[in-house]
């Protein structure tokens, strides 16, 4: 398998990197994948040899001055401008109608480009992207309009360089004295947005029910020492936000804290290689009132087995976008899945056949 990376004008990508947040926030896989592909042995400089074409457009680096979060309303226009440019100077988009072209859309609801589901569904995926391959963090087990496109579900981005200072000693020798941990947005009185509540009210229910329970360490504000709190925790709560997925799932695995995923119908990335049921817990949203009993039961029965599986190094590696490409890391797995889309005849050039760092 070979991939051609379009050399777009810098206003589509590199110019955004003056803001350091661009390459480190939860949507930053669009930056990491681009960088990794540039030095990948699967990259070709000859587009006539390419199986796939990658468009490096950073659409998540325009941060709202009010909230500090990425503003993505401009994304469809910006990506369309990039497509218009490459299709006017090279024949490959028009030749395949974009079917062999790859975009990264690591937002709440993928290429629907909105943080709230009802608006995302109403917008849908832009028509010009509907023949292409989307790399997205969003995924559900049943049909959803925002995954009605050829896609590969990838992990949320967590900066490997930010994680590495906390990796020694390894997770299995850490003293864990926090039973159940969550730090993040938990509204006491959630706002009603046209009949929709943030987190479908799950985070609010957790806070009201367990805010004074000594088994639970719940904090509603950001603070220094978050990584140390993860390392001290046995169970890490990963409830949905506006979207079902969360970078907390990756953070929990990396820091050896059992992810407790509370997001009905969520699909998890790389389930073809990661046995999620052996390294995490899934709790139905309706079962939040029973959450303490569920966690106590697991702690008394099969916690040791879950932790043993969780602490295997290959599980952590599979969820991190390492630079350069490493065998078994997040980019390696997405390239493996991508290679399967072009048939068995390309096996000799799949990631398994390429020498990468161990």
């Amino acid at each position: 398998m070979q991939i051609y990376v379009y050399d777009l004008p810098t206003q589509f990508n590199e110019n955004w990197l003056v803001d350091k947040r661009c390459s480190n926030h939860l949507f930053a896989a669009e930056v990491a994948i681009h960088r990794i592909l540039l030095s990948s042995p699967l990259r070709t400089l000859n587009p006539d040899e390419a199986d796939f074409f990658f468009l490096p457009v950073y659409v998540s680096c325009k941060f709202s001055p009010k909230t500090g979060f990425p503003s993505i309303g401009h994304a469809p226009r910006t990506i369309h401008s990039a497509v218009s440019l490459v299709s006017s100077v090279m024949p490959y988009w028009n030749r395949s109608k974009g079917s062999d072209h790859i975009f990264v859309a690591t937002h709440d609801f993928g290429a629907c480009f909105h943080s709230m589901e009802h608006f995302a569904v109403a917008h849908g995926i832009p028509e010009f992207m509907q023949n292409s391959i989307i790399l997205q963090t969003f995924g559900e087990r049943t049909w959803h309009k925002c995954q009605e496109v050829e896609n590969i579900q990838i992990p949320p981005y967590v900066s490997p360089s930010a994680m590495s200072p906390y990796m020694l000693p390894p997770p299995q020798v850490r003293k864990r004295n926090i039973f159940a941990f969550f730090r993040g947005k938990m509204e006491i009185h959630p706002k009603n947005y046209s009949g929709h509540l943030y987190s479908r009210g799950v985070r609010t229910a957790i806070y009201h029910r367990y805010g004074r329970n000594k088994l639970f360490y719940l904090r509603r504000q950001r603070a220094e020492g978050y990584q140390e709190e993860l390392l001290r925790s046995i169970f890490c709560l990963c409830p949905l936000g506006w979207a079902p997925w969360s970078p907390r799932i990756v953070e929990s695995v990396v820091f050896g804290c059992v992810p407790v995923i509370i997001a009905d119908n969520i699909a998890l990335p790389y389930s073809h290689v990661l046995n999620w049921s052996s390294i995490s817990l899934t709790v139905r949203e309706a079962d939040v009132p029973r959450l303490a009993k569920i966690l106590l039961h697991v702690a008394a029965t099969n916690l040791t087995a879950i932790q043993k599986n969780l602490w295997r190094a290959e599980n952590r590696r599979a969820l991190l976008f390492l630079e350069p490409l490493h065998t078994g890391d997040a980019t390696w797995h997405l390239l493996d899945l991508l290679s399967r889309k072009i048939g068995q005849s390309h096996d000799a050039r799949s990631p398994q056949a390429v020498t990468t760092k161990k």
Side-chain angles (χ1 to χ4, degrees), residues 73-331:
H74 69 290
R77 296 189 305 274
T78 303
I79 297 174
H80 189 268
S81 295
V83 170
S84 297
L85 176 62
V86 300
S87 63
S88 68
V89 297
M90 301 180 81
Y92 307 102
W93 175 275
N94 294 327
R95 182 184 66 184
S96 68
K97 297 182 180 179
S99 64
D100 51 6
H101 283 58
I102 304 166
F103 299 95
V104 182
T106 54
H107 316 103
D108 293 70
F109 294 95
C112 285
F113 296 118
H114 203 285
S115 61
M116 298 179 69
E117 185 172 17
H118 59 294
F119 286 124
V121 168
H123 288 179
I125 298 168
E127 185 175 357
F128 72 92
M129 297 177 70
Q130 290 178 9
N131 287 332
S132 300
I133 300 167
I134 310 297
L135 309 182
Q136 60 185 51
T137 44
F138 171 69
E140 292 200 343
R141 295 195 304 269
T142 55
W143 179 89
H144 193 286
K145 189 172 184 179
C146 297
Q147 58 187 19
E148 196 178 30
V149 65
E150 189 75 20
N151 69 83
I152 295 175
Q153 189 183 3
I154 62 175
Y157 184 78
V158 173
S159 170
S161 61
M163 301 294 103
S164 59
Y166 302 94
M167 291 296 95
L168 294 174
Q172 56 266 37
V173 300
R174 296 280 182 166
K175 182 179 180 180
R176 298 185 180 269
N177 54 13
I178 297 174
F179 185 73
F181 170 67
F182 179 86
R183 182 180 288 280
K185 182 176 180 179
M186 303 182 89
E187 296 178 327
I188 298 175
H189 302 292
K191 296 178 182 178
N192 187 312
Y193 297 90
S194 303
H196 302 273
L197 299 179
Y198 179 69
S199 187
R200 293 200 282 259
V202 167
R203 296 192 187 189
T204 298
I206 293 171
Y207 186 76
H208 283 315
R209 192 163 191 98
Y210 303 109
R212 296 186 179 182
N213 187 317
K214 292 182 179 180
L215 291 175
F216 287 76
Y217 187 89
L218 307 178
R219 298 294 185 270
R220 299 175 54 234
Q221 304 297 329
R222 296 181 183 181
E224 295 294 329
Y226 173 67
Q227 291 86 355
E228 292 293 343
E229 290 172 331
L230 288 165
L231 286 167
R232 291 170 51 205
S233 300
I234 297 172
F235 296 105
C236 287
L237 308 186
C238 304
L240 73 161
W242 283 120
W245 65 270
S246 167
R248 288 179 179 83
I249 298 173
V250 175
E251 292 169 341
S252 300
V253 173
V254 170
F255 286 112
C257 179
V258 178
V260 182
I261 301 165
I262 311 173
D264 292 354
N265 204 36
I266 186 174
L268 295 167
Y270 301 161
S271 57
H272 66 297
V273 291
L274 289 172
N275 184 356
W276 283 101
S277 63
S278 73
I279 64 173
S280 66
L281 300 179
T282 299
V283 176
R284 295 188 310 141
E285 294 168 28
D287 286 337
V288 165
R290 300 179 52 244
L291 182 58
K293 291 182 179 179
I294 292 170
L295 298 184
L296 285 168
H297 174 74
V298 171
T301 54
N302 59 334
L303 175 61
T304 301
I306 294 173
Q307 289 177 323
K308 183 178 179 180
N309 294 326
L310 176 65
W311 293 340
R312 292 168 59 186
E314 58 265 33
N315 291 326
R316 296 195 296 275
R317 188 183 309 119
L319 297 174
L320 293 175
F321 294 91
L322 302 175
E323 299 183 40
L325 178 70
H326 284 57
T327 299
D329 77 353
T331 310

Side-chain angles (χ1 to χ4, degrees), residues 324-346:
L325 178 70
H326 284 57
T327 299
D329 77 353
T331 310
W332 191 93
H333 284 300
L334 84 83
L335 292 172
D336 178 34
L337 290 171
L338 191 61
S339 73
R340 302 180 190 191
K341 295 183 180 296
I342 54 175
Q344 298 300 313
S345 62
H346 292 77

